[in-house]
Amino acid sequence: MLKIPPHQVAGHKAGNGKLGPLVDESGRFYKPLQGDERGSNELKFYTSFSSDTRIPEHISKFFPTFYGTQLIEASDGSGLKPHLVLQDLSIGRVNPSIVDIKMGSRTWAPEASEEYIQKCLKKDRETSSLPLGFRLSGIQIYGNKESGYWKPERTSMQNLSAEKLKTILKKFVSSNTSPDMNLQPDCAFAATVYGGSTGILSQLLELKAWFEDQTMYHFYSCSILMSFEKELALEGKNPGGQIKLIDFAHVIEGKGVIDHNFLGGLCSLIKFISEILTAPNEHITEEVPSVNGVN
């Protein structure tokens, strides 16, 4: 039986007569195939990427498994519609904390229409994308059985200053998840979620090493999804911190050129995470990491 994804934090959501993704009990995620070039472009990327022997296994694990396409009943009641069939990234999770981070200081591809470029450029300037190289598209942080999730409005997360954005990334791995932005996060789980040989920082660095060399694709308007299980961390177990790349409607061919837009944002995000690990109780410095080059 298909249902609305319970842990979706960004993107178009199903329900109330709206078209959005659905999930089933077997761990598959059904994303409506957009009827314009965005849909055909994303299908083209998944088809190409999933069969590309040049992609090393340690990198393909950061992407959702692609199962093809399928006609299913659309969530808006409009009848059978084609959907991308992907891996449900929250399968097996009980109460996951999740953050969706849109990468790059520029979220539009060069060949996009002038109208679309201006629309994206306006949003990039109004959010942290342009100065920092990434922005928060959505977040949910699990507190406990009594408090449930802290899930702020997505629009309130997109135009944060560097210091407030860093506070959110600290709150993500803290035991105190009050909505009060003035409450200093304790970063109780930073070492086990962000740190360690298999933690999120290590995964980001692994991805960075690939982006420093790969010239096959340019990932415009793509997101990194970071997640973990706080209850496992509270029990002293591995919280299963992981990253996954999602949303590939605006991926274009790299044509032998490094994707500096994505790489610059990735370096910026790595700097934020690294600073949280090395100095969890310090405020961010006035200097903002450069996103025009790579570190």
Side-chain angles (χ1 to χ4, degrees):
M1 179 169 176
L2 298 175
K3 62 180 182 179
I4 296 172
H7 301 299
Q8 184 182 350
V9 297
H12 300 288
K13 296 186 177 183
N16 299 318
K18 294 181 179 179
L19 184 63
L22 299 166
V23 294
D24 64 17
E25 298 296 331
S26 71
R28 299 199 172 188
F29 182 94
Y30 299 83
K31 181 178 182 179
L33 195 61
Q34 298 178 85
D36 55 20
E37 61 184 13
R38 291 173 295 176
S40 59
N41 198 48
E42 187 157 32
L43 175 57
K44 178 183 174 183
F45 168 77
Y46 271 115
T47 303
S48 168
F49 187 87
S50 63
S51 60
D52 195 331
T53 56
R54 297 171 296 173
I55 309 297
E57 189 175 336
H58 72 277
I59 293 302
S60 62
K61 71 180 181 183
F62 295 132
F63 292 76
T65 303
F66 174 58
Y67 299 106
T69 60
Q70 186 175 331
L71 283 172
I72 65 168
E73 198 71 32
S75 63
D76 62 355
S78 59
L80 291 174
K81 298 288 184 183
H83 287 63
L84 293 167
V85 186
L86 307 168
Q87 171 190 8
D88 179 3
L89 300 180
S90 66
I91 193 70
R93 301 284 198 185
V94 180
N95 293 303
S97 291
I98 302 171
V99 59
D100 182 308
I101 302 174
K102 188 173 288 292
M103 302 300 295
S105 57
R106 193 175 84 183
T107 58
W108 44 272
E111 63 264 29
S113 68
E114 184 61 29
E115 181 183 1
Y116 186 78
I117 289 174
Q118 291 305 317
K119 176 185 174 183
C120 292
L121 188 57
K122 182 177 185 292
K123 193 164 189 178
D124 293 345
R125 285 171 172 165
E126 292 174 349
T127 64
S128 63
S129 289
L130 201 56
L132 301 181
F134 66 90
R135 68 174 179 254
L136 300 189
S137 289
I139 190 170
Q140 70 173 31
I141 304 176
Y142 183 70
N144 51 49
K145 290 179 180 179
E146 289 72 33
S147 64
Y149 289 101
W150 179 59
K151 198 170 184 177
E153 285 293 323
R154 287 182 283 173
T155 52
S156 69
M157 294 289 102
Q158 294 179 350
N159 60 349
L160 299 173
S161 65
E163 185 169 346
K164 286 186 177 179
L165 195 152
K166 192 172 188 180
T167 298
I168 294 294
L169 291 176
K170 286 181 175 181
K171 191 186 289 285
F172 185 62
V173 291
S174 294
S175 63
N176 52 341
T177 55
S178 166
D180 184 1
M181 289 293 286
N182 295 316
L183 179 66
Q184 184 67 16
D186 59 22
C187 298
F189 312 118
T192 53
V193 176
Y194 289 152
S197 60
T198 60
I200 282 175
L201 178 60
S202 178
Q203 295 173 52
L204 290 172
L205 290 169
E206 195 172 2
L207 189 64
K208 173 177 174 279
W210 183 66
F211 268 93
E212 288 173 334
D213 289 327
Q214 80 88 14
T215 59
M216 295 173 282
Y217 304 101
H218 284 190
F219 292 85
Y220 291 102
S221 201
C222 168
S223 286
I224 289 180
L225 206 66
M226 304 194 309
S227 64
F228 77 100
E229 284 277 5
K230 180 180 283 188
E231 286 176 308
L232 292 178
L234 286 167
E235 296 170 5
K237 299 176 182 177
N238 185 338
Q242 73 169 16
I243 66 168
K244 293 282 187 178
L245 275 70
I246 59 170
D247 297 336
F248 307 111
H250 302 281
V251 175
I252 64 172
E253 289 184 22
K255 298 180 180 178
V257 178
I258 287 175
D259 186 358
H260 290 288
N261 181 60
F262 187 98
L263 181 56
L266 183 56
C267 288
S268 179
L269 177 60
I270 286 171
K271 188 174 190 295
F272 273 73
I273 300 293
S274 298
E275 287 181 352
I276 292 172
L277 276 170
T278 55
N281 297 318
E282 288 184 11
H283 288 288
I284 193 169
T285 56
E286 290 298 318
E287 180 185 0
V288 172
S290 171
V291 298
N292 296 320
V294 297
N295 297 333

